[in-house]
Amino acid sequence: MEFTKNNLFLFVMFVLVLSIEAHIGEFDEVWRKRAQQAKKAARHAYHPNPKIVADHLNNQVDKAVRGSNSRRRDLHRYNGQCKATNPIDQCWRCDPNWARNRMKLADCVLGFGRKTTGGKGGKSYVVTDNSDNDLVNPKPGTLRHAVIQPQPLWIIFAKNMVIRLNEELIMTSNKTIDARGKQVHIAHGGGLMLQFIHNVIISNLRIHDTKAGNGGLIRDSVNHYGYRTKSDGDGISIFGSTNVWIDHVSMSNCQDGLIDAVEASTAITISNCHFTKHNEVMLFGASDSSSRDSIMQITLAFNHFGQGLRQRMPRVRWGFVHAVNNDYTHWLMYAIGGSMHPTILSQGNRFIAPPNPNAKEVTKRDYAPESVWKNWVWKSQGDLMMNGAFFVESGNPNHAFLRSPDMISSKPGSFVSSLTRFSGSLNCIEGKPC
């Protein structure tokens, strides 16, 4: 075909459409079906009253800190002192037999991702090989071979390993990647891509120094492979996916974002993670024009936003984010930002502002005058502000989130150092409490 100006314009527009589809070079029947299934799953996962979910998490936090949680009382049967300090950890970490009962982890998630079960009920798959040499026909025993299988799987690792992905790792639904008991790094290559899938747990990985990929032919399921365009270099990219839980993951220095959630992704919990050495940490919502992200609901709980971070912890568009009992010890520009009227409920976080007198504000609104953003509902409840930090609230001052019958306020920010004490990837030893 001769490239006239009109044809060139059509070609450019075609490429732009492909970029919206997150690196899918050919949006064929397989991907169209996945996208349709993902939209249906997102509508099902969306909670019409998100405050009920937030209140349930607050209730569990309060019980854990007061010691009245039944799981906490059960800890007396375990040998040695349990050092789990928040309700998610108290669900499994004090059990010396956690390695023999790995799938119990799926019972421990709270927040919007609370219905995520990952590979529970499926078989275990042991990753024995850290190579990633064949993207179309992955070698059995590799992580890429594990994540494309059609059935639910609980994926574990035979040994400590560093996995350099030659391109982004395209996953399928109903998977758990469980690195507890081993030191597993996803580093110096591609990151994880959760695209048009559901029900995924990622636990105890160390993800750092990921790079943008060149694309090419990549297998995305046992029965399908296709052409992928250049990837962005995110550590974890959640694209049109639902029921996702990311727990005890350490992340730093990825080429693009550490975690992005876009294209109507929802029912997500990110907990007990440790984030360091990065500029744009998290992006929730693809663009100001992507109104489909209005169903996005994400819980951030017990995470530590640490050294070397600049901004976007997270940056939010359209959706609802409940940030509860996180420790924000470092930022250079701002901590929580957003545009296009997102709803943000910040409860019991600790915000320690940087020395820069021009960066004390926790919040930042983008691309909107105050006459517009003053109507966005951003609330701070029980947060601890240190070193001059301040949170600019907005929305109706009398706005009240709908309350569930068992609503108990979250613990105040003064408890955060304890609740986040063991954030990041854990050094668990089989046969001992973790």
Side-chain angles (χ1 to χ4, degrees):
M1 179 178 69
E2 180 182 359
F3 266 86
T4 64
K5 288 184 178 180
N6 185 57
N7 287 336
L8 180 60
F9 173 79
L10 292 175
F11 176 78
V12 170
M13 292 304 295
F14 176 70
V15 172
L16 289 174
V17 169
L18 291 182
S19 69
I20 294 172
E21 302 299 346
H23 327 311
I24 301 171
E26 182 183 357
F27 204 68
D28 57 16
E29 182 61 29
V30 170
W31 279 111
R32 283 195 292 270
K33 184 176 180 180
R34 283 196 194 183
Q36 291 168 358
Q37 292 172 338
K39 290 178 182 178
K40 183 178 179 180
R43 288 193 297 268
H44 180 73
Y46 176 75
H47 199 293
N49 184 1
K51 192 57 165 57
I52 290 179
V53 181
D55 291 347
H56 179 259
L57 176 55
N58 289 335
N59 190 21
Q60 298 300 313
V61 172
D62 185 82
K63 288 180 179 179
V65 173
R66 288 191 293 114
S68 62
N69 188 299
S70 60
R71 294 188 183 119
R72 182 65 181 173
R73 290 195 296 271
D74 287 343
L75 301 182
H76 292 298
R77 358 180 205 180
Y78 303 135
N79 295 325
Q81 182 181 5
C82 176
K83 296 183 179 180
T85 56
N86 66 59
I88 291 177
D89 278 0
Q90 288 174 1
C91 177
W92 69 271
R93 279 189 51 207
C94 296
D95 181 359
N97 298 314
W98 61 265
R100 283 188 285 176
N101 302 313
R102 284 182 177 271
M103 294 188 187
K104 180 185 177 183
L105 181 68
D107 301 331
C108 301
V109 58
L110 299 171
F112 287 119
R114 70 199 183 285
K115 295 182 180 179
T116 306
T117 56
K120 185 177 182 180
K123 294 182 179 179
S124 294
Y125 185 115
V126 182
V127 175
T128 58
D129 188 334
N130 71 334
S131 68
D132 187 41
N133 299 324
D134 194 331
L135 303 178
V136 175
N137 296 296
K139 181 181 177 182
T142 63
L143 181 59
R144 190 175 295 276
H145 183 268
V147 300
I148 63 170
Q149 300 306 307
Q151 70 272 28
L153 288 178
W154 200 277
I155 301 165
I156 61 176
F157 298 83
K159 57 187 177 182
N160 298 342
M161 60 180 67
V162 177
I163 300 174
R164 188 186 71 80
L165 298 168
N166 281 310
E167 295 290 341
E168 58 186 351
L169 188 75
I170 306 172
M171 297 183 61
T172 57
S173 298
N174 304 310
K175 300 293 183 291
T176 296
I177 299 178
D178 179 2
R180 290 176 297 169
K182 300 295 185 290
Q183 293 190 25
V184 178
H185 297 252
I186 306 294
H188 310 295
L192 278 57
M193 168 58 84
L194 285 60
Q195 187 167 30
F196 297 138
I197 62 175
H198 63 274
N199 202 30
V200 172
I201 297 173
I202 299 170
S203 173
N204 221 60
L205 289 175
R206 294 166 166 87
I207 301 175
H208 57 91
D209 299 290
T210 58
K211 308 297 181 184
N214 294 319
L217 293 177
I218 303 175
R219 185 166 293 278
D220 47 66
S221 68
V222 169
N223 299 318
H224 184 265
Y225 66 89
Y227 179 74
R228 305 284 297 188
T229 60
K230 182 180 175 66
S231 62
D232 296 330
D234 293 325
I236 300 175
S237 181
I238 307 171
F239 187 103
S241 295
T242 56
N243 294 108
V244 175
W245 181 27
I246 301 168
D247 187 58
H248 278 294
V249 173
S250 295
M251 303 186 73
S252 65
N253 199 36
C254 297
Q255 185 166 335
D256 194 22
L258 294 184
I259 301 176
D260 283 5
V262 301
E263 295 298 312
S265 294
T266 193
I268 298 167
T269 293
I270 301 168
S271 59
N272 291 307
C273 294
H274 188 203
F275 306 105
T276 57
K277 300 178 183 177
H278 200 77
N279 178 11
E280 298 176 337
V281 181
M282 294 177 178
L283 178 65
F284 297 159
S287 70
D288 287 355
S289 62
S290 295
S291 59
R292 51 191 168 274
D293 283 323
S294 59
I295 70 167
M296 179 176 62
Q297 297 174 329
I298 299 177
T299 298
L300 296 176
F302 319 128
N303 301 292
H304 181 195
F305 294 91
Q307 294 184 350
L309 302 181
R310 295 180 63 87
Q311 59 179 319
R312 296 191 179 183
M313 297 171 244
R315 178 184 173 179
V316 189
R317 295 182 175 101
W318 294 98
F320 179 94
V321 170
H322 180 210
V324 57
N325 289 133
N326 301 284
D327 202 3
Y328 292 84
T329 58
H330 295 79
W331 72 81
L332 293 181
M333 295 176 64
Y334 66 91
I336 297 174
S339 59
M340 288 309 293
H341 56 81
T343 299
I344 296 172
L345 178 59
S346 173
Q347 292 187 308
N349 300 292
R350 179 169 70 168
F351 296 103
I352 304 177
N356 181 357
N358 297 315
K360 301 294 186 181
E361 183 177 347
V362 170
T363 51
K364 180 183 179 181
R365 279 84 165 172
D366 283 323
Y367 310 120
E370 184 175 355
S371 60
V372 173
W373 65 250
K374 71 178 183 180
N375 296 312
W376 303 350
V377 178
W378 292 26
K379 298 298 180 184
S380 171
Q381 300 175 357
D383 291 328
L384 176 62
M385 304 291 175
M386 300 181 66
N387 199 32
F390 64 98
F391 187 113
V392 176
E393 293 189 307
S394 57
N396 185 342
N398 298 319
H399 176 91
F401 291 93
L402 295 177
R403 302 168 69 95
S404 66
D406 61 347
M407 168 64 176
I408 298 178
S409 297
S410 64
K411 297 310 296 180
S414 57
F415 286 82
V416 160
S417 60
S418 173
L419 292 166
T420 63
R421 180 180 175 187
F422 300 101
S423 62
S425 182
L426 298 164
N427 295 318
C428 300
I429 299 174
E430 294 186 15
K432 295 183 179 181
C434 185

